[in-house]
Amino acid sequence: MAVTEEQQQENPLLEGLRLRRTPDPCALVIFGASGDLTRRKLFPALYSLALRRLLPERFGVVGVARTQESDDQFRERMKEAVQEFGRDEFHQETWDWLAEGMRYVSTDFADEGGEDHVVTALNELDEKRGTSGNRVYYFAVPPDAIATLVREIGDRRSTNGWTRVIVEKPFGRDLESAKALNAELQKHFDEGEVFRIDHYLGKETVQNLLALRFANGIFEPIWNRQFVDHVQITVAESIGIGGRAAFYEQAGAIRDIFQNHLLQLVALTAMEPPIDFTADSVRNEKVKVLRAMHTPGPKHVVRGQYGRGFVEGEEVPGYREEEGVARDSLTETFVAAKLFVDNWRWADTPFYVRAGKRLARRETTIAIEFKRAPHPPFEEAAEEELRPNVLVVHIQPDEGVSLEFAAKVPGQGLTLRTVHMDFLYGGAFRTGIPEAYERLILDCLLGDATLFTRSDEVEEQWSLVDAIVSAWQRDRPAFPNYEAGTWGPAAADELIRRDGREWRRH
């Protein structure tokens, strides 16, 4: 399925794809194949990769779950998932190629006999599809099932071909459990065989942050404490918890979003230029940021929980009214914090971060606010108070970059107004933006771990989260403390306002 230059010219879907080496023949085993992640993300991603001929010619998939299902029933269910959630037009020929290499095994993850059935299915794919003993194991399962799977796979791994494992978040629930899981993985696999996935790192706009910084000579010289007043990072969702109450009651916003997505965005924003873009070079620089990161203290962290309110004109229930949630739950659905990165580049520059559910709208942005001009001679000519220059990276939903600056209003006299210069992915590139899981699955097949988190990264993230959570044990918050459809609790506004700043609202 490798892409040639001739194929790129014949197929507009392939236009703009960077030619890269073809993944080795392999089989992908998905544990948790009956779950929503497999249905909504993994198989639509595999189909898109197949459509673009980016999967190896000799490829197979084994779905594993407790649900009783035949191979044909599994194929039909995944076909419906691709048709419903895929980003591409459905082509029967592409699906037939993918479906031919699909198998399904019904088993309990802790059942040793069931693991033997998985091995049998893989051996069949080696024989019929030529997958050469190469294996990728994807753990789309609850965290408490991962250690068992790691042991079973590690004990059965063959000397023929290579083995890689993909571990979904959350990776542990605190520093102690993350270290224990890392130790278990390291008994059976080398670090280069373990791919800890954070799907935010697969988003094109997150990757574009590195290109913006390090491929343009105008940004890097001013990307520091001398020119930047502060940084704001927002990961806002308008949705509630859906049917994930069992998970969310254990995780909360700090483990679901803050510990992984949000801290990774801080690390990518603050990191030093790597010596090259190999996996270890990039991850080394991110770890340095995480080690230098701290929050000044408990007063600089705010947590919240949504009550009833209106989102996009529709009344929605409060968190404690969601099915499966305790009526006196103290689980947070919102976290805001003031962070510092204690290094030469960022000393004394605050990073204000916030993440939450049932907020006013879905939005993930990184805003770099620069210091005001030292002597603005046109201040009196402004229609309104001139705002500082701001560079905003829009990660979702409208992917792009915008720059705010002052400009003269047309006409006689000198009147100034803040204007926006925008770059939008959809307008600049003819090809659609690939889903994060497409890039991450392909990178794993290629053995490229650049966009996956390393063991020391995960442990540094948990160190910060544990310090915050331990301070929460000493008080009982008055929940709920913000209405659904707003931007969070009043204390989050006060967190930044006492420094003479405000959260961005657009």
Side-chain angles (χ1 to χ4, degrees), residues 326-484:
R327 293 298 172 256
D328 59 350
S329 173
L330 296 181
T331 300
E332 78 287 345
T333 62
F334 176 95
V335 179
K338 177 182 178 180
L339 303 174
F340 286 103
V341 178
D342 288 337
N343 60 17
W344 187 272
R345 181 185 292 265
W346 295 111
D348 301 323
T349 304
F351 285 70
Y352 299 100
V353 300
R354 57 179 174 170
K357 289 191 174 294
R358 286 296 189 204
L359 299 182
R361 63 175 176 270
R362 176 175 175 253
E363 171 188 306
T364 300
T365 56
I366 301 171
I368 316 296
E369 183 163 314
F370 295 93
K371 294 181 178 179
R372 293 179 179 272
H375 175 61
F378 307 116
E379 191 74 44
E380 294 181 359
E383 286 188 336
E384 55 189 34
E385 183 184 4
L386 285 179
R387 297 195 293 271
N389 301 125
V390 183
L391 182 70
V392 185
V393 179
H394 301 273
I395 294 171
Q396 62 181 20
D398 301 316
E399 297 90 346
V401 179
S402 64
L403 177 66
E404 296 181 10
F405 58 94
K408 178 184 176 298
V409 177
Q412 293 183 349
L414 184 63
T415 306
L416 303 183
R417 182 186 301 167
T418 297
V419 296
H420 300 256
M421 185 160 57
D422 298 317
F423 153 69
L424 296 175
Y425 263 87
F429 301 105
R430 289 192 298 167
T431 55
I433 298 177
E435 289 290 331
Y437 280 96
E438 294 174 36
R439 172 67 186 270
L440 295 171
I441 290 173
L442 182 58
D443 278 359
C444 182
L445 299 186
L446 290 164
D448 183 351
T450 305
L451 300 179
F452 296 83
T453 52
R454 204 167 57 191
S455 59
D456 51 354
E457 278 186 82
V458 172
E459 291 177 12
E460 290 297 338
Q461 289 169 207
W462 277 120
S463 292
L464 178 62
V465 168
D466 278 6
I468 293 172
V469 171
S470 64
W472 288 353
Q473 309 304 320
R474 296 191 287 269
D475 66 89
R476 185 179 178 85
F479 284 163
N481 60 356
Y482 71 96
E483 290 183 9

Side-chain angles (χ1 to χ4, degrees), residues 12 20 35 49 95 108 126 169 224 234 237 250 263 289 293 296 318 326 374 431 438 445 477 501:
R20 52 200 307 194
L49 291 173
W95 176 255
D108 188 288
D126 283 344
K169 78 170 187 73
N224 56 58
T234 296
E237 296 179 288
Q250 297 296 316
L263 292 185
V289 173
M293 195 184 302
T431 55
E438 294 174 36
L445 299 186
R501 302 179 176 101

Side-chain angles (χ1 to χ4, degrees), residues 36-55:
D36 258 11
L37 178 66
T38 303
R39 197 166 135 273
R40 290 174 176 268
K41 297 295 183 182
L42 301 188
F43 260 91
L46 286 171
Y47 173 82
S48 291
L49 291 173
L51 185 64
R52 288 163 177 78
R53 304 175 186 174
L54 293 173
L55 293 177

Side-chain angles (χ1 to χ4, degrees), residues 197-239:
I197 200 166
D198 181 342
H199 72 267
Y200 258 55
L201 299 184
K203 292 181 178 292
E204 283 290 324
T205 34
V206 172
Q207 299 165 51
N208 190 55
L209 180 61
L210 298 179
L212 185 75
R213 286 190 57 187
F214 304 131
N216 297 288
I218 63 173
F219 293 122
E220 188 57 24
I222 59 172
W223 205 275
N224 56 58
R225 66 187 298 270
Q226 290 180 286
F227 295 93
V228 175
D229 179 77
H230 71 280
V231 177
Q232 292 186 28
I233 301 180
T234 296
V235 181
E237 296 179 288
S238 58
I239 60 172

Side-chain angles (χ1 to χ4, degrees), residues 41-308:
K41 297 295 183 182
L42 301 188
F43 260 91
L46 286 171
Y47 173 82
S48 291
L49 291 173
L51 185 64
R52 288 163 177 78
R53 304 175 186 174
L54 293 173
L55 293 177
E57 190 69 44
R58 293 177 288 164
F59 180 73
V61 183
V62 178
V64 185
R66 295 186 179 93
T67 306
Q68 290 293 329
E69 207 168 33
S70 68
D71 288 351
D72 286 339
Q73 288 173 323
F74 178 59
R75 292 184 185 108
E76 186 59 33
R77 189 164 58 85
M78 291 303 103
K79 178 181 178 180
E80 292 171 0
V82 167
Q83 291 172 324
E84 181 177 357
F85 299 109
R87 70 183 180 98
D88 295 305
E89 183 180 346
F90 186 80
H91 292 267
Q92 188 66 42
E93 180 183 358
T94 300
W95 176 255
D96 288 344
W97 175 86
L98 191 60
E100 187 180 342
M102 290 170 59
R103 304 289 186 274
Y104 183 80
V105 175
S106 174
T107 181
D108 188 288
F109 300 137
D111 180 3
E112 291 187 15
E115 296 297 333
D116 291 336
H117 294 316
V118 173
V119 172
T120 300
L122 288 169
N123 290 339
E124 181 190 342
L125 287 176
D126 283 344
E127 182 180 341
K128 294 187 176 181
R129 297 282 283 188
T131 48
S132 302
N134 296 325
R135 313 283 189 244
V136 176
Y137 295 95
Y138 198 120
F139 300 152
V141 297
D144 56 6
I146 292 174
T148 301
L149 288 172
V150 168
R151 287 192 296 272
E152 294 292 339
I153 292 167
D155 291 342
R156 286 173 169 81
R157 66 179 297 178
S158 169
T159 55
N160 298 323
W162 47 254
T163 300
R164 296 171 189 146
V165 296
I166 302 177
V167 186
E168 265 287 346
K169 78 170 187 73
F171 192 92
R173 62 169 283 104
D174 53 22
L175 180 58
E176 182 181 358
S177 60
K179 283 183 172 180
L181 183 52
N182 275 330
E184 190 64 48
L185 283 162
Q186 288 159 6
K187 288 179 186 176
H188 303 281
F189 304 99
D190 296 332
E191 179 62 32
E193 296 175 318
V194 180
F195 292 73
R196 299 168 189 80
I197 200 166
D198 181 342
H199 72 267
Y200 258 55
L201 299 184
K203 292 181 178 292
E204 283 290 324
T205 34
V206 172
Q207 299 165 51
N208 190 55
L209 180 61
L210 298 179
L212 185 75
R213 286 190 57 187
F214 304 131
N216 297 288
I218 63 173
F219 293 122
E220 188 57 24
I222 59 172
W223 205 275
N224 56 58
R225 66 187 298 270
Q226 290 180 286
F227 295 93
V228 175
D229 179 77
H230 71 280
V231 177
Q232 292 186 28
I233 301 180
T234 296
V235 181
E237 296 179 288
S238 58
I239 60 172
I241 60 168
R244 301 168 68 219
F247 162 76
Y248 207 85
E249 277 285 83
Q250 297 296 316
I254 198 162
R255 294 182 176 91
D256 183 41
I257 299 292
F258 186 96
Q259 181 270 335
N260 39 73
H261 302 337
L262 204 150
L263 292 185
Q264 282 290 320
L265 294 181
V266 175
L268 287 168
T269 304
M271 65 184 276
E272 295 296 320
I275 58 172
D276 55 38
F277 280 93
T278 59
D280 275 340
S281 293
V282 172
R283 296 192 291 183
N284 285 344
E285 298 305 331
K286 288 198 292 174
V287 168
K288 290 176 185 176
V289 173
L290 293 168
R291 285 177 179 160
M293 195 184 302
H294 77 281
T295 184
K299 290 193 299 184
H300 298 277
V301 180
V302 173
R303 55 176 164 161
Q305 185 190 92
Y306 65 84
R308 296 184 68 84

